[in-house]
Amino acid sequence: MLVLPLAVPALLYIILSIPGVQASLGRKAEKELTSLLGTEVSIGRVDYSPFTRIVLRDVSVNDSTGHEALHVGHLGAGISIGETLWNKRLIITYAEIIDLQLSLWRDSVGAPLNIDPILARFKKKDKKEKSPFDLAVNMVVIRRSGLSYDVRSMPVRDDGAFDPSHIKVYGLRADLRAPRISNGEVDVEVKRMAATEQSGFTLSSLTAALHMDMSAASLTDLSIQLPNSSIAFDNIDIEGSPLVPGFDFKSVHTAIRLLPDSHVAVSYTHL
């Protein structure tokens, strides 16, 4: 009888490690995600280490027209069962997002985005009380990622300047952590974020820390580093909280101050 409590988890581990079983899990995940998002979702491969980590490879999500809107080459996450049970909240040890490409477009200015039907499925159609949740993510790593946004009816600028109707960001990389994400409190730290836009604009580094509870919100340690510029902000505090239903960002009044060592060097010949 004493062997049974150990044998059952061991047997489950072995079964879930079989490639055929993992392939079945991938097909099941495709079916559930397709139903949830209302559009075709495909998963190339699932690697699953029971109770510790899961990796999805070549994840593809189509938009409302049947074209690929999102592709992720590697999507992985790890869970600490011990910490989760001890802290009585979900502890995600790490999340990896590698080779993500997001393609957003609209036919004309003011027209719906290609992913609007997907986003609409997440909007609450009733005012029932939200289910409580509480989790922590120890580390989020984003590498070799990018996104594009196009207004198809607008002509493309040919002078190499930034074009708000045709944006393409590549080389996106970031390290983040979220000590707490819950109904009543959010703590997110951006350790590093960098990217380049096709116009040549380069974000060398962005760091920040965001805290929100039910009464207020604050953004601290906000710093933006460009190739020849450094911009650091004093703490930005907001009375009221976006976590409270009915919060209106238009009513926010706060002071934004630069720290003394900030400097900006303009080296572009055109915008």
Side-chain angles (χ1 to χ4, degrees), residues 38-49:
T39 188
E40 183 180 354
V41 177
S42 64
I43 300 173
R45 176 180 165 187
V46 176
D47 294 325
Y48 182 54
S49 296

Side-chain angles (χ1 to χ4, degrees), residues 130-254:
K130 294 181 179 180
S131 301
F133 65 90
D134 190 357
L135 61 89
V137 185
N138 291 343
M139 180 58 69
V140 179
V141 176
I142 302 173
R143 295 290 185 272
R144 301 197 305 264
S145 296
L147 62 91
S148 63
Y149 168 75
D150 291 286
V151 181
R152 293 184 167 180
S153 64
M154 299 296 290
V156 178
R157 294 182 63 163
D158 57 6
D159 58 1
F162 175 74
D163 186 348
S165 296
H166 301 282
I167 300 171
K168 186 174 183 179
V169 175
Y170 59 91
L172 175 62
R173 56 197 183 277
D175 297 314
L176 311 94
R177 64 185 300 266
R180 182 176 294 276
I181 301 177
S182 67
N183 299 79
E185 186 176 0
V186 172
D187 278 305
V188 177
E189 299 175 17
V190 181
K191 296 294 186 180
R192 181 188 68 161
M193 180 180 293
T196 301
E197 208 276 329
Q198 64 180 350
S199 63
F201 174 83
T202 298
L203 174 65
S204 302
S205 177
L206 182 149
T207 60
L210 172 67
H211 173 79
M212 293 189 294
D213 55 30
M214 298 303 290
S215 61
S218 63
L219 185 63
T220 59
D221 300 322
L222 176 58
S223 174
I224 299 172
Q225 304 296 320
L226 307 177
N228 298 299
S229 303
S230 177
I231 308 170
F233 295 83
D234 199 356
N235 294 349
I236 301 173
D237 299 311
I238 299 175
E239 294 185 4
S241 171
L243 298 179
V244 177
F247 177 81
D248 184 7
F249 279 96
K250 295 180 180 179
S251 65
V252 172
H253 298 282
T254 187

Side-chain angles (χ1 to χ4, degrees), residues 245-267:
F247 177 81
D248 184 7
F249 279 96
K250 295 180 180 179
S251 65
V252 172
H253 298 282
T254 187
I256 298 178
R257 296 180 293 270
L258 297 180
L259 295 181
D261 291 337
S262 298
H263 61 274
V264 177
V266 180
S267 59

